[in-house]
Amino acid sequence: MAGTGAISRAYLLLYNVTMFAGWAYALYELAKHASATNTVEGSYAAAGDTIRLFQLVSGLEILHAALGLVGGSWGAALMQWAGRSNVLFGVVAAEPEVQGSLAVGIMCWAWALSEVIRYPWYAASLAGICPRWLTWLRYTAFIPLYPLGVVGEMWAVVLALPHIKQRGLRTISMPNAGNFAFDYSLFLMVLLCLYPFLWFRLYSFLFRQRRKKLQPTAAAARKKRQ
Amino acid sequence: MAIKLVVKSRTGRDVLPDGILLPSNATVDELKARFAELKPRYYASRQRFTLPPRDGQRSGDLLVSGKKLSDYGLEDGSMLFFKDLGAQITYSTVFFWEYFGPLVVYPLFYFLPHLLYPGIKGHTSAERGTVQTLALGYWTFHYVKRLLETFYVHKFSHATMPVFNLFKNCAYYWGFAAFVAYFVNHPLFTSPPLAQAYWALAFSMACQFANFRCHIILANLRPAGTKGYVIPRGFLFDWITCPNYTAEILGWVGFTVATQTVAAAIFTLVGAAQMAQWALGKHARLRKTFDGLEGREKYPRRWIMLPPFF
């Protein structure tokens, strides 16, 4: 990776391993709950604390991009982190009525499964020991998991909307000293309209990455020699 | 004596199968004019020519207007990379539209509350508060000043930018104009103390004059016809690299304090962030150009944009 010294790489390695451990534990909590109750409803109660903690910590990835420790734009990292955090902290954590839903259960599982693949891939790539099957997994698992995750998120927000509107959650009206107004349920509705477009861009980007990364190595070597 | 140059795209495709024939003492501008004759779709400002990259370079040197082909070591059979920059539009056109919008959009909220705040009971436009009227005056003055500067003061070093920027920039300026205007001119607007508004706007006006003076200095930096960087001096430039941005940001801080509106604060912050990015780039360029070596001046120690921290 460009611009990383030994200390940066050691830090990133530590970061990715820690994040993997966190999400692996969340997955364990989810699996334990699912096998005990035979459903994914109520997953948030089982793994919610862990998920909230590691989602918060993952904000560091914005800093990593901004400092050039990793590639990619900090703006993109911010958007992804903000999107997930808005759903998790802004909506789900604040609305007990949706926490037990199937939507939230699906969301938790999709997130956990994606992360326990993504972080080890980063760690292994940093250490230079990334096996081909892990790269394949990283760039294939997203195909079902991303749509699943997005559907879970959007559905959870839709379920929460009437409660948010009724409670006036995170909503402020005029008049007030700051001359500001914000309607959280309206904001969420606009976001829901934008979601498919924003998400589709990420999805197709990952497909392009997939084609690049999963190229058979002989063809890749030939291209390099040209 | 004529030379023939090979022109390819970065992907290796032949752009001109028969190459391009030019006198050996031709300039970059003559190259672009000839290219436009051969491919009329690509007028000069759309053309971007680079040399093939040397070892260690990610992309080759850019052929700059005003220089000669021989300055780049180009001779018969040399290769150039061509890139189409897309449809171009002049800076002054973009500036006009991006500043004209706010001049139209903001007053709409002041003069047409029954239309833009349907059903909201508060004061009507006849009952507009003093602060809201002052804010309208300041806002209007600010954008009229910008328009006049665009046509009578600023000297643009790059003639054009991609057309897409027109839409991007207008979306930003017009969008924020509506955002700020909506809250400042709201029927339920809560006015800060009048004294606060008067002092804050007086401060903002002082900043506008400072900003104007900075623009004049920048416009006169280079004698007509010369290119290349010059170290700005005088007025606030002795201490700050981009004092024009400093004055602009402080002007909006004053506006925010005068109107006591979160929307104005957000507008100020976003503008400041963008200007900080530009200021960093300018500061870095000046320091790199004036490195104090080989008889060149050394760029003095200056704040970038916002003393005392930045």
Side-chain angles (χ1 to χ4, degrees):
Chain A
M1 268 164 223
T4 47
I7 300 181
S8 314
R9 290 181 60 197
Y11 161 73
L12 284 174
L13 199 58
L14 180 66
Y15 173 79
N16 285 307
V17 168
T18 310
M19 294 303 284
F20 166 67
W23 281 99
Y25 184 68
L27 193 60
Y28 159 73
E29 289 176 316
L30 290 172
K32 203 169 82 159
H33 170 86
S35 72
T37 61
N38 267 332
T39 174
V40 299
E41 288 173 17
S43 293
Y44 183 78
D49 287 342
T50 312
I51 292 180
R52 289 211 310 280
L53 171 63
F54 284 91
Q55 172 58 21
L56 199 61
V57 173
S58 77
L60 282 174
E61 289 167 40
I62 304 166
L63 201 64
H64 297 166
L67 293 174
L69 286 180
V70 300
S73 81
W74 64 265
L78 175 64
M79 262 181 52
Q80 285 167 46
W81 181 83
R84 262 204 195 172
S85 298
N86 175 50
V87 173
L88 185 61
F89 297 107
V91 177
V92 174
E95 293 292 338
E97 298 92 338
V98 305
Q99 286 166 8
S101 65
L102 180 61
V104 171
I106 292 177
M107 183 184 94
C108 291
W109 271 92
W111 285 4
L113 285 171
S114 307
E115 303 302 55
V116 298
I117 298 171
R118 184 167 76 98
Y119 285 114
W121 184 82
Y122 284 136
S125 301
L126 271 168
I129 55 167
C130 193
R132 270 195 67 76
W133 64 261
L134 185 57
T135 304
W136 180 88
L137 197 58
R138 152 85 175 117
Y139 284 102
T140 309
F142 81 89
I143 299 176
L145 287 177
Y146 268 43
L148 217 57
V150 159
V151 164
E153 289 175 38
M154 287 177 71
W155 185 8
V157 171
V158 168
L159 287 174
L161 270 178
H163 303 284
I164 290 173
K165 193 157 175 86
Q166 192 208 19
R167 277 174 53 191
L169 180 71
R170 306 188 207 294
T171 296
I172 180 170
S173 347
M174 300 270 273
N176 57 69
N179 290 309
F180 195 61
F182 183 72
D183 187 335
Y184 194 44
S185 67
L186 181 63
F187 170 76
L188 287 172
M189 281 191 266
V190 170
L191 209 60
L192 282 177
C193 294
L194 293 176
Y195 245 53
F197 299 104
L198 298 171
W199 170 83
F200 186 73
R201 285 185 61 183
L202 177 60
Y203 202 50
S204 37
F205 171 73
L206 281 171
F207 266 106
R208 284 200 302 277
Q209 287 295 92
R210 179 170 201 265
R211 228 163 291 143
K212 264 200 324 198
K213 303 276 186 174
L214 295 188
Q215 246 177 5
T217 36
R222 229 182 304 125
K223 211 168 180 232
K224 231 185 146 182
R225 278 200 297 273
Q226 262 179 350
Chain B
M1 199 184 64
I3 59 173
K4 184 166 103 154
L5 297 172
V6 176
V7 182
K8 286 189 187 278
S9 74
R10 283 300 300 265
T11 54
R13 196 175 48 90
D14 262 320
V15 173
L16 283 174
D18 298 320
I20 184 167
L21 214 58
L22 289 159
S24 58
N25 61 354
T27 62
V28 172
D29 294 308
E30 284 165 1
L31 162 68
K32 293 193 174 177
R34 181 79 191 112
F35 190 91
E37 280 171 22
L38 295 170
K39 292 203 162 238
R41 182 177 147 84
Y42 300 110
Y43 44 85
S45 53
R46 262 178 100 143
Q47 300 171 26
R48 179 186 156 91
F49 286 103
T50 48
L51 297 176
R54 291 191 297 268
D55 286 323
Q57 273 189 330
R58 279 195 65 185
S59 61
D61 295 337
L62 176 67
L63 263 56
V64 167
S65 176
K67 288 200 126 84
K68 296 166 70 160
L69 297 183
S70 49
D71 292 339
Y72 296 97
L74 290 169
E75 32 185 44
D76 193 39
S78 294
M79 182 164 72
L80 285 177
F81 283 132
F82 167 76
K83 182 180 166 150
D84 174 25
L85 295 172
Q88 298 287 298
I89 190 168
T90 61
Y91 261 58
S92 35
T93 309
V94 174
F95 274 40
F96 172 77
W97 286 109
E98 68 189 18
Y99 297 155
F100 183 67
L103 212 49
V104 168
V105 167
Y106 188 106
L108 287 177
F109 289 86
Y110 183 92
F111 289 111
L112 302 172
H114 47 277
L115 209 62
L116 289 160
Y117 306 95
I120 301 180
K121 301 269 176 283
H123 46 253
T124 63
S125 81
E127 299 159 354
R128 281 278 183 245
T130 312
V131 172
Q132 291 170 310
T133 309
L134 285 174
L136 172 72
Y138 178 82
W139 183 275
T140 310
F141 170 78
H142 177 83
Y143 282 99
V144 167
K145 167 179 165 292
R146 285 215 199 191
L147 279 170
L148 291 174
E149 284 173 335
T150 300
F151 293 108
Y152 296 111
V153 175
H154 292 317
K155 307 258 188 330
F156 299 111
S157 49
H158 298 285
T160 65
M161 62 169 93
V163 163
F164 175 71
N165 279 20
L166 175 67
F167 302 108
K168 188 167 63 111
N169 291 12
C170 285
Y172 171 82
Y173 278 100
W174 299 23
F176 263 113
F179 182 58
V180 174
Y182 177 82
F183 288 106
V184 176
N185 297 299
H186 201 281
L188 297 173
F189 177 76
T190 309
S191 180
L194 265 181
Q196 176 178 323
Y198 279 130
W199 279 106
L201 282 179
F203 171 73
S204 294
M205 285 303 285
C207 291
Q208 289 293 281
F209 282 112
N211 171 269
F212 180 70
R213 186 146 175 228
C214 290
H215 285 161
I216 299 282
I217 293 176
L218 286 171
N220 293 328
L221 261 190
R222 286 202 276 261
T226 62
K227 290 188 184 278
Y229 293 120
V230 176
I231 298 182
R233 292 191 203 281
F235 193 44
L236 298 168
F237 286 94
D238 288 332
W239 297 286
I240 312 173
T241 297
C242 293
N244 47 324
Y245 296 155
T246 315
E248 176 74 11
I249 294 167
L250 290 177
W252 286 118
V253 169
F255 180 84
T256 302
V257 170
T259 57
Q260 215 165 279
T261 305
V262 169
I266 296 175
F267 175 55
T268 307
L269 274 168
V270 175
Q274 173 65 89
M275 284 185 256
Q277 205 176 26
W278 291 334
L280 264 170
K282 177 135 195 228
H283 191 84
R285 276 195 304 275
L286 283 169
R287 285 191 48 177
K288 190 171 157 204
T289 309
F290 298 102
D291 49 13
L293 305 168
E294 292 173 9
R296 287 187 288 266
E297 282 181 272
K298 182 145 168 64
Y299 191 72
R301 265 187 67 108
R302 288 177 179 170
W303 280 294
I304 299 176
M305 188 179 79
L306 288 174
F309 300 115
F310 178 62

